[in-house]
Amino acid sequence: MEEIWDQLVAYRIKHREVSIKELFKSDSGRFSAFSCSLEDMLFDYSKTSIDKESLKLLLCLAEESTLQQRRDAMFSGERINTTEQRSVLHTALRNRSSNPVYVAGRDVMPGINSTLAKMASFAEGIRAGDIHSASGSTFTDVVNIGIGGSDLGPSMSTLALAPFHDGPRTHFVSNVDGAHITDTLKDLNPARTLIVVASKTFTTIETMTNARTALRWMRKELGEYAGSHFVALSSAHDRTDEFGIPSDRVFGFEDWVGGRYSVWGPIGLSLMLAIGSEKFSEFLQGAFEMDNHFRTTPFERNMPVLLGLVGVWHHNICDYSSRAVLPYDQRLSRFSAYLQQLDMESNGKRVDLNGMGLQRFSGPIVWGEPGTNGQHAFYQLIHQGTEVVPCEFLVAANGFEANLSEHHELLLSNCLAQSEALMCGRSLEDVRLLLAEQGIEDPDGNLVAHRVFPGNRPSTTLVYRKLTPSTLGRLIALYEHRVFVEGCLCNINSFDQWGVELGKQLASELLPLIKAGDGSQSKDGSTAGLLRTLDLLRRDVTV
Ligand code: F6P
């Protein structure tokens, strides 16, 4: 395995001068050879520097790694999250087959299916007005209170599937900053609002603080009936009981569903309320199809494997430190935020599965904004900055706005223009000619230098027919498996998140100091100084 890593690095060094444009020149079939599809979704990675030989080596790396074995272990419920001794079975939540899935000898599918049926009956009851508010009226608004995986999955997906909304309006509160809940609740009527408290552990400080604030808001209007406007999505039944949510309003899931992988079950309730249980099933079906593809397709045509290999090539072999995810799809405007948790919380690790320091980079920095907005903001750096940023474009062939086809055509042309510009660039000679044509004089060559685009910048493009529930399901599952692939190749555990603990602990230690306005106990001079300044400012004293 180490040998293949070395071969890849050596190959890259030897061929780094070969441009992507040249690769196209020497291979007329490059697009078909360096793309793969799953029905109406196509992944094109031909605009990268990967050639036949490096692809062979990358596939070899995948074959020789534990990927196949760990993939099968994941699907079959083995405890591959070793630091927490847990199975990793978000795929069971979207298992649309009648095949059982065992955890420690017990088939978990009956439990999953009955929770799904309970969610569907609740969601349809709310949507139809059969389950109503304390005063007997229909719920018009749903507020999901959660953070991290208990927010990003449902909020990103609910926005993505806006054309399918035919249920109550949905809102999402995540930040402990009181501004978030205040601004969300200010135009809502408590008498017609359902609060969904989403927290796997039911201990997360941000979520519990927001939930208590929402309860007080509700109590002001409904008094003792406030509790009937609350629902919990959690695996901690003792704590949901303590909060006062009756068990028939608790939708549970087990510890083998990680927070950032949880949108497929109860945590997806707000999405189900917005689009209905039938469309939610289509969402699960799409993900299930991607699961089957990932499980059964040979690596050379396997979309998550290839996406993962492209990621490893860029991050670990070419040393590009970040990855921009650029959906030319406005409704995917939260997709990169969602991916930040999925990818960076999963693969942002410093040790391998055995606790040994990693020999190579773990996951990259993931960022992005929807096109075309990004073009008018940070694309300057992507095109001409000194750092190479591999770009991952996503685009639907069709929009939903049939009467605005001109908009969609512009969107498509912009998306393709960007990947073409990144690859082809604009040479010194071309800029000189252009200036001459325009009659612009540039005696010292200064203008020319500013207008050159180096090109040879890698990108991939994922094309799909339309952003339907099933497409979104496929898309999320594709990225989930990609993260898994990259984690396997780097030999890390993608399913724990110890790196979030220290900050949480320190925040709880600092809270009494903030309240007391006393920095004398702090562990360092900067924190002490900041505490002192904050205390003065909070008491309105000049600093
Ligand atoms: O702090 C990180 C984290 O544990 C995430 O992994 C998780 O998605 C989020 O917090 C929320 O956790 P919970 O659903 O238990 O409130």
Side-chain angles (χ1 to χ4, degrees):
M1 177 91 181
E2 278 313 309
E3 218 173 274
I4 306 175
W5 280 109
D6 293 344
Q7 285 176 25
L8 274 162
V9 172
Y11 189 82
R12 164 70 182 160
I13 293 171
K14 191 160 169 215
H15 295 86
R16 66 184 323 149
E17 299 307 328
V18 181
S19 73
I20 307 172
K21 252 173 29 175
E22 284 170 69
L23 292 176
F24 272 99
K25 266 192 209 138
S26 61
D27 179 3
S28 58
R30 184 166 169 82
F31 177 76
S32 357
F34 294 85
S35 61
C36 75
S37 50
L38 170 59
E39 290 170 20
D40 58 7
M41 186 176 262
L42 178 133
F43 171 56
D44 168 30
Y45 60 105
S46 60
K47 289 195 190 96
T48 67
S49 56
I50 298 175
D51 62 8
K52 287 199 171 125
E53 192 53 35
S54 43
L55 181 60
K56 219 198 278 168
L57 285 170
L58 286 164
L59 287 166
C60 220
L61 187 74
E63 296 289 354
E64 296 228 343
S65 72
T66 52
L67 174 58
Q68 199 163 321
Q69 179 201 333
R70 293 190 73 210
R71 175 193 65 188
D72 297 344
M74 173 172 77
F75 278 100
S76 61
E78 280 179 42
R79 293 185 173 163
I80 62 163
N81 176 358
T82 45
T83 59
E84 296 178 309
Q85 276 307 305
R86 287 179 185 164
S87 306
V88 175
L89 273 178
H90 47 282
T91 50
L93 297 178
R94 59 210 191 202
N95 172 18
R96 311 309 284 162
S97 75
S98 51
N99 296 340
V101 178
Y102 294 103
V103 173
R106 180 176 64 92
D107 180 12
V108 295
M109 287 317 299
I112 289 175
N113 289 332
S114 94
T115 304
L116 202 57
K118 181 176 161 187
M119 284 168 66
S121 124
F122 179 76
E124 293 310 334
I126 296 276
R127 287 159 54 84
D130 299 336
I131 301 177
H132 41 71
S133 71
S135 61
S137 47
T138 313
F139 284 108
T140 53
D141 293 88
V142 172
V143 179
N144 185 90
I145 297 181
I147 197 164
S150 300
D151 166 70
L152 288 162
S155 61
M156 179 277 286
S157 304
T158 304
L159 176 61
L161 297 178
F164 298 90
H165 287 199
D166 51 6
R169 288 182 291 264
T170 42
H171 313 265
F172 293 86
V173 173
S174 52
N175 203 325
V176 76
D177 184 340
H180 203 176
I181 193 151
T182 303
D183 291 352
T184 307
L185 298 185
K186 85 172 181 272
D187 295 323
L188 301 187
N189 176 1
R192 304 194 72 173
T193 300
L194 179 74
I195 305 282
V196 175
V197 186
S199 175
K200 180 176 166 183
T201 54
F202 234 67
T203 56
T204 306
I205 192 82
E206 293 91 335
T207 301
M208 299 325 296
T209 307
N210 279 322
R212 283 191 296 271
T213 301
L215 185 59
R216 283 196 298 277
W217 174 76
M218 196 65 88
R219 274 196 184 131
K220 262 198 211 152
E221 172 89 10
L222 301 184
E224 58 178 307
Y225 299 106
S228 66
H229 282 218
F230 275 72
V231 167
L233 318 175
S234 181
S235 21
H237 292 261
D238 46 339
R239 298 196 190 102
T240 56
D241 266 2
E242 212 177 288
F243 192 87
I245 301 180
S247 59
D248 62 322
R249 289 288 178 93
V250 178
F251 299 85
F253 51 104
E254 299 195 45
D255 69 1
W256 34 258
V257 180
R260 52 194 176 274
Y261 298 90
S262 62
V263 68
W264 315 104
I267 294 293
L269 185 68
S270 345
L271 173 64
M272 192 191 265
L273 283 160
I275 65 171
S277 54
E278 225 170 273
K279 294 279 171 242
F280 191 83
S281 295
E282 291 172 23
F283 172 64
L284 298 184
Q285 177 67 29
F288 175 62
E289 283 159 14
M290 186 55 78
D291 290 344
N292 285 341
H293 169 84
F294 179 48
R295 283 172 88 155
T296 58
T297 312
F299 284 178
E300 62 271 20
R301 283 182 284 116
N302 191 311
M303 206 182 281
V305 171
L306 291 168
L307 187 56
L309 290 176
V310 171
V312 161
W313 172 256
H314 286 151
H315 188 50
N316 299 92
I317 308 297
C318 302
D319 285 351
Y320 304 143
S321 60
S322 85
R323 133 182 337 156
V325 179
L326 308 166
Y328 275 65
D329 199 323
Q330 178 59 25
R331 294 193 178 101
L332 284 179
S333 58
R334 293 294 289 157
F335 191 60
S336 24
Y338 166 80
L339 282 188
Q340 283 178 327
Q341 186 197 17
L342 180 65
D343 204 323
M344 294 161 86
E345 194 166 85
S346 297
N347 286 346
K349 307 287 165 62
R350 54 181 285 280
V351 294
D352 68 12
L353 278 166
N354 305 312
M356 305 302 286
L358 285 174
Q359 298 304 304
R360 51 189 60 85
F361 296 134
S362 60
I365 298 160
V366 180
W367 59 286
E369 277 290 317
T372 58
N373 294 6
Q375 289 175 207
H376 299 271
F378 52 80
Y379 277 43
Q380 165 65 42
L381 181 148
I382 289 182
H383 284 289
Q384 288 189 316
T386 50
E387 195 148 327
V388 174
V389 181
C391 295
E392 301 189 353
F393 296 101
L394 292 92
V395 71
N398 304 285
F400 284 88
E401 291 63 34
N403 57 332
L404 297 176
S405 59
E406 190 199 339
H407 285 245
H408 201 74
E409 284 157 8
L410 272 168
L411 186 73
L412 291 173
S413 60
N414 270 278
C415 179
L416 297 191
Q418 291 303 324
S419 64
E420 189 181 309
L422 284 167
M423 175 174 75
C424 299
R426 181 173 274 165
S427 67
L428 199 79
E429 295 71 42
D430 285 351
V431 179
R432 275 200 192 115
L433 276 175
L434 205 70
L435 291 187
E437 269 167 32
Q438 293 170 351
I440 301 173
E441 288 188 14
D442 182 30
D444 53 10
N446 190 346
L447 272 185
V448 176
H450 283 87
R451 293 185 187 204
V452 165
F453 286 67
N456 201 29
R457 304 210 157 184
S459 71
T460 60
T461 306
L462 189 77
V463 177
Y464 43 89
R465 190 189 302 276
K466 203 170 184 172
L467 192 57
T468 59
S470 132
T471 304
L472 182 69
R474 276 190 202 170
L475 184 62
I476 302 175
L478 166 65
Y479 272 87
E480 282 179 352
H481 294 321
R482 182 261 189 109
V483 165
F484 177 73
V485 169
E486 292 186 18
C488 282
L489 296 181
C490 292
N491 200 30
I492 58 185
N493 180 359
S494 303
F495 300 104
D496 60 10
Q497 57 283 319
W498 299 106
V500 300
E501 294 304 320
L502 180 61
K504 285 187 195 172
Q505 186 196 321
L506 294 186
S508 65
E509 286 171 26
L510 279 163
L511 186 61
L513 306 187
I514 295 269
K515 284 185 195 282
D518 171 17
S520 57
Q521 306 291 315
S522 26
K523 296 184 183 125
D524 65 86
S526 162
T527 309
L530 291 169
L531 276 167
R532 232 177 4 254
T533 309
L534 285 169
D535 178 50
L536 292 174
L537 292 174
R538 294 183 72 189
R539 289 190 289 115
D540 218 6
V541 177
T542 312
V543 186

